[in-house]
Amino acid sequence: MTDDFTREQSAQAIRLFTAYREALDEKEIEGRFMPYRWWTSPERGSFVWMIYSQMLGEYATELANIVNDLTHNVHRLRAWARVIETLDDEERLAATHEFIDTLGTVSLGLPYAIKSRFAFAAGTLAHQANRTRDGNDWKDEFPDVRALYLHLVDPICSGWRKYGAFKRRVEPIAGTAFKDATEDFRNAYQHRFSARFVVGITGAVTRIVGEDGKVAYGIGGTESLGLDRVADLLAIERDHCYRAFDAFRELVEEQIPAIAAFDAASLEA
């Protein structure tokens, strides 16, 4: 049976979430949303188009979903930033525990996931599209790795003129600046102890090995991540993702006519 303390926690969570929703609705969402089903299908297609189109339908949709999630999460973080300004310490702890920790953790991991998904989508689609250029010399050989990075798909994609622009727009996502500004949050969260959100200090003692091999210990710790700061950093990543998505569309729109022409010739043969 629910006790009074649990009921009070539930009532507090409802009050906090209500305040958050009010703050969320006060301002319009920044940025823009990635479109769905933006490509034009050939009038007729063979096996090559069938495979390519099934992959494209899935990958383009999932990329739009995850980039749009990032856009929403920047907006959500800004709303929580406005809410916690009005809260006392106890309420901030409750809001962080109940809502903000999960939102912040997922949000700081999105740029890394998006970058990897762009590489995977571009490499996989180019591999299929390369049939149109390689003909009988095409081999169904693809890197058998769990994580596909841009340098691994370079040889697969480099024959497409639009790939260079795509690569240049994907590379800045989740770069060194983002890693440093977030205290390398993603890796620290997975492998050590990451910075906290809103309240709390981590890493009070740090072991430091100098160039001469001597060991020292730093005392101080890592301050918590402010939500406005996190939202600002993610807004930069979000804009990188918008540009990468636009370049991904251009790469696909270069490949589709080549596949259509190849398929038309195959069907007429």
Side-chain angles (χ1 to χ4, degrees):
M1 188 173 181
T2 305
D3 58 24
D4 290 341
F5 177 72
T6 302
R7 291 193 187 93
E8 290 174 3
Q9 282 187 311
S10 296
Q12 183 184 58
I14 292 169
R15 289 195 302 272
L16 291 170
F17 191 75
T18 299
Y20 155 71
R21 288 300 309 186
E22 291 173 351
L24 195 71
D25 294 340
E26 283 178 1
K27 293 187 176 181
E28 293 185 1
I29 297 178
E30 305 169 12
R32 56 190 173 97
F33 289 105
M34 302 300 97
Y36 296 89
R37 192 61 195 179
W38 37 262
W39 59 93
T40 301
S41 301
E43 293 182 3
R44 55 179 182 166
S46 69
F47 180 73
V48 177
W49 172 249
M50 183 183 73
I51 297 298
Y52 183 95
S53 64
Q54 290 296 313
M55 290 179 172
L56 174 60
E58 177 186 349
Y59 302 161
T61 297
E62 291 300 331
L63 284 168
N65 284 341
I66 196 170
V67 175
N68 291 342
D69 282 345
L70 181 54
T71 297
H72 278 295
N73 285 0
V74 170
H75 186 56
R76 290 166 179 149
L77 287 163
R78 293 203 190 283
W80 275 118
R82 293 195 296 275
V83 170
I84 63 171
E85 290 176 352
T86 67
L87 304 180
D88 60 29
D89 290 343
E90 180 183 345
E91 291 171 322
R92 287 188 175 198
L93 283 171
T96 302
H97 171 71
E98 194 73 33
F99 304 109
I100 295 170
D101 278 346
T102 300
L103 173 62
T105 300
V106 171
S107 298
L108 287 178
L110 285 179
Y112 299 94
I114 293 169
K115 187 173 189 175
S116 292
R117 291 184 187 188
F118 271 127
F120 178 84
T124 305
L125 291 172
H127 174 60
Q128 296 300 321
N130 286 345
R131 294 182 186 217
T132 68
R133 298 186 169 190
D134 298 344
N136 293 332
D137 293 330
W138 183 82
K139 295 181 180 179
D140 200 353
E141 297 175 350
F142 196 76
D144 185 16
V145 294
R146 295 181 64 183
L148 202 62
Y149 299 106
L150 285 173
H151 73 277
L152 293 176
V153 303
D154 277 349
I156 301 168
C157 301
S158 59
W160 298 97
R161 185 170 54 86
K162 294 293 185 179
Y163 174 69
F166 168 79
K167 181 181 179 181
R168 288 191 296 273
R169 292 185 180 185
V170 172
E171 283 177 328
I173 301 172
T176 302
F178 180 71
K179 176 182 175 180
D180 292 344
T182 59
E183 304 292 342
D184 196 12
F185 181 90
R186 185 193 64 159
N187 284 319
Y189 180 80
Q190 295 290 338
H191 305 293
R192 298 186 300 279
F193 296 97
S194 59
R196 300 192 61 81
F197 296 99
V198 183
V199 291
I201 296 176
T202 54
V205 179
T206 304
R207 185 173 184 270
I208 304 168
V209 180
E211 293 182 359
D212 57 1
K214 293 183 178 180
V215 177
Y217 289 87
I219 308 296
T222 301
E223 295 287 344
S224 58
L225 297 171
L227 297 188
D228 276 324
R229 176 59 174 158
V230 172
D232 288 343
L233 293 171
L234 287 172
I236 295 171
E237 299 304 305
R238 176 202 65 197
D239 292 346
H240 287 324
C241 293
Y242 291 167
R243 290 187 283 272
F245 192 92
D246 292 340
F248 174 73
R249 290 184 60 178
E250 293 176 2
L251 178 61
V252 167
E253 288 166 352
E254 178 187 4
Q255 293 170 352
I256 289 178
I259 295 173
F262 177 84
D263 280 355
S266 299
L267 291 169
E268 292 171 0

